[in-house]
C-alpha cells in the first residue's frame, strides 16, 4: 500500500518555507510506502481565478482560462492522498500566491460532493519573520482553504496545534533552520499527514462505502437535490 504526499510551496523565495516543507516531507517519507513531491510555485506563471465559471460550464477538470502552473498541478492534486501547503506569513495571513493557488482549484470543486476529496488529508506549514507574527492566523487561513476544498485537516495535537510553524527570527533561512521548537511541529505534521493518509486509504479499501458517502451524502439523488437547492439560493 503506497500513498502520495504532495507539498505546495507558495513562497516566492528559496528560503524558510521551502526548507520547512522539505523537512516535513522527509518526516513523511519515514513512513513505509510514502512517496513525496514538492512543487514550488516560485518563478512559475500563476494567474488569479477570474471567476469566468468556464470550468463549471464546460464541466472540465482544468482551467479553460489559463494554461499555467496549475495545468501540471490539477492531476497531481487528484492523485495525491495528502496535501501539505506551505506559505510564508504575509500580514498575518497566507500570501497571495497560496491564496491564488487555492482559488484556482475551482475546476476540481465539482468533485468535492462526489467524495473525491472526502478521504484526502491536508495540513498547513508556515514561516513568519516575527516570533508571534501571525503563524496561527496564517495556519487558520490555510486550514479554512483546505476545508473549503473538501480536505480533512490534520492537526498536530497539543504539540503542533493547527499546523507546523517556524519563526525565521528575522534572519530568514538560517533563522528558520535554527528554530528547533518550530521544526518539531513541522516534522510532526509531516509524519502525521503520512500516517493519516495511509490509514484512510487502507480503511477505504476495507469498507464498501460508495465515494459520495465519504463526502457526507447518503445517496446520489441527495447530491443532485443539494446542488439544485444551492442554485436556487
Ligand atoms: C509582504 C510581507 C509581509 C510580511 N508579513 C509578516 C507578518 O505579518 N508577520 C511575520 O511574522 N512576518 C511577516 N513577513 C516576513 C516573512 O514571513 C518572513 O520573512 C518569512 O521567512 C518568509 O518566508 P520565506 O523565507 O519562505 O520567504 C512578511 C514578509 C513580507 C514580504
Amino acid at each position: 500500500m503506497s500513498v502520495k504526499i504532495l507539498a505546495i510551496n507558495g513562497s516566492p523565495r528559496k528560503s524558510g518555507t521551502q526548507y520547512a516543507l522539505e523537512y516535513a516531507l522527509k518526516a513523511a517519507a519515514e513512513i513505509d510506502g510514502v512517496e513525496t513531491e514538492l512543487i514550488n510555485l516560485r518563478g512559475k506563471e500563476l494567474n488569479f481565478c477570474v471567476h469566468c465559471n468556464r470550468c463549471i460550464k464546460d464541466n472540465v477538470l482544468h482551467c479553460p482560462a489559463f494554461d499555467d502552473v496549475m495545468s501540471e498541478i490539477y492531476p497531481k492534486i487528484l492523485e495525491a492522498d495528502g496535501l501539505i501547503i506551505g506559505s510564508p506569513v504575509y500580514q498575518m495571513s497566507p500570501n497571495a500566491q497560496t491564496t491564488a493557488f487555492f482559488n484556482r482549484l475551482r475546476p476540481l470543486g465539482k468533485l468535492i460532493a462526489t467524495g473525491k476529496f472526502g478521504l484526502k488529508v491536508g495540513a498547513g506549514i508556515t514561516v513568519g519573520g516575527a516570533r508571534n507574527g501571525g503563524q496561527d492566523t496564517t495556519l487558520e487561513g490555510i486550514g479554512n482553504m483546505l476545508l473549503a476544498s473538501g480536505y480533512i485537516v490534520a492537526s498536530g495535537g497539543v504539540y503542533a496545534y493547527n499546523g507546523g510553524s517556524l519563526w525565521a527570527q528575522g534572519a530568514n533561512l538560517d533563522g528558520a533552520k535554527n528554530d528547533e521548537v518550530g521544526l518539531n511541529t513541522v516534522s510532526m505534521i509531516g509524519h502525521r499527514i503520512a500516517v493519516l493518509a495511509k490509514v484512510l486509504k487502507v480503511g477505504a479499501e476495507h469498507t464498501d462505502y460508495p465515494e459520495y458517502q465519504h463526502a457526507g451524502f447518503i445517496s446520489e439523488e441527495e447530491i443532485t437535490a443539494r446542488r439544485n437547492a444551492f442554485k436556487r439560493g
Side-chain angles (χ1 to χ4, degrees):
M1 160 70 63
S2 70
V3 291
K4 288 197 174 158
I5 306 297
L6 176 67
I8 303 288
N9 175 18
S11 172
R13 303 192 310 165
K14 186 176 180 188
S15 191
T17 308
Q18 182 169 334
Y19 180 78
L21 287 172
E22 286 166 355
Y23 201 88
L25 290 180
K26 198 163 158 257
E30 282 166 14
I31 306 296
D32 200 32
V34 171
E35 285 172 43
T36 65
E37 181 176 358
L38 170 65
I39 297 179
N40 296 300
L41 299 177
R42 178 182 68 251
K44 296 179 182 152
E45 187 187 342
L46 172 66
N47 290 278
F48 299 118
C49 175
V50 291
H51 204 331
C52 66
N53 279 349
R54 277 171 55 200
C55 58
I56 294 172
K57 282 183 210 135
D58 298 354
N59 196 24
V60 290
L61 299 178
H62 65 272
C63 174
F66 301 111
D67 184 10
D68 57 13
V69 66
M70 294 305 293
S71 308
E72 124 192 35
I73 292 179
Y74 292 127
K76 290 180 191 252
I77 290 277
L78 291 177
E79 205 191 356
D81 305 289
L83 179 65
I84 306 181
I85 301 295
S87 171
V89 178
Y90 281 7
Q91 273 96 12
M92 298 176 68
S93 308
N95 71 346
Q97 290 88 331
T98 305
T99 305
F101 158 79
F102 271 111
N103 295 165
R104 291 286 306 286
L105 292 182
R106 194 164 167 81
L108 307 186
K110 57 182 81 64
L111 299 180
I112 297 174
T114 69
K116 180 75 186 161
F117 291 88
L119 297 184
K120 290 186 192 290
V121 60
I125 286 178
T126 192
V127 182
R131 187 178 187 283
N132 300 323
Q135 283 87 341
D136 269 3
T137 44
T138 301
L139 288 173
E140 189 182 355
I142 294 173
N144 287 341
M145 290 191 264
L146 283 166
L147 288 171
S149 308
Y151 284 83
I152 298 168
V153 180
S155 134
V158 291
Y159 299 105
Y161 292 85
N162 52 355
S165 53
L166 291 184
W167 167 33
Q169 307 178 48
N172 303 316
L173 183 55
D174 280 346
K177 279 183 178 173
N178 288 325
D179 180 11
E180 251 180 68
V181 175
L183 286 172
N184 283 339
T185 67
V186 166
S187 60
M188 177 169 272
I189 288 297
H191 201 94
R192 186 144 195 257
I193 200 168
V195 171
L196 288 177
K198 207 166 163 183
V199 170
L200 286 165
K201 200 166 184 180
V202 171
E205 284 198 357
H206 286 81
T207 47
D208 55 3
Y209 299 112
E211 209 167 49
Y212 55 80
Q213 291 203 359
H214 299 157
F217 289 96
I218 50 164
S219 66
E220 293 196 62
E221 292 70 40
E222 196 199 356
I223 301 177
T224 311
R226 289 271 182 103
R227 277 197 176 132
N228 290 339
F230 183 75
K231 277 184 207 151
R232 283 198 302 272

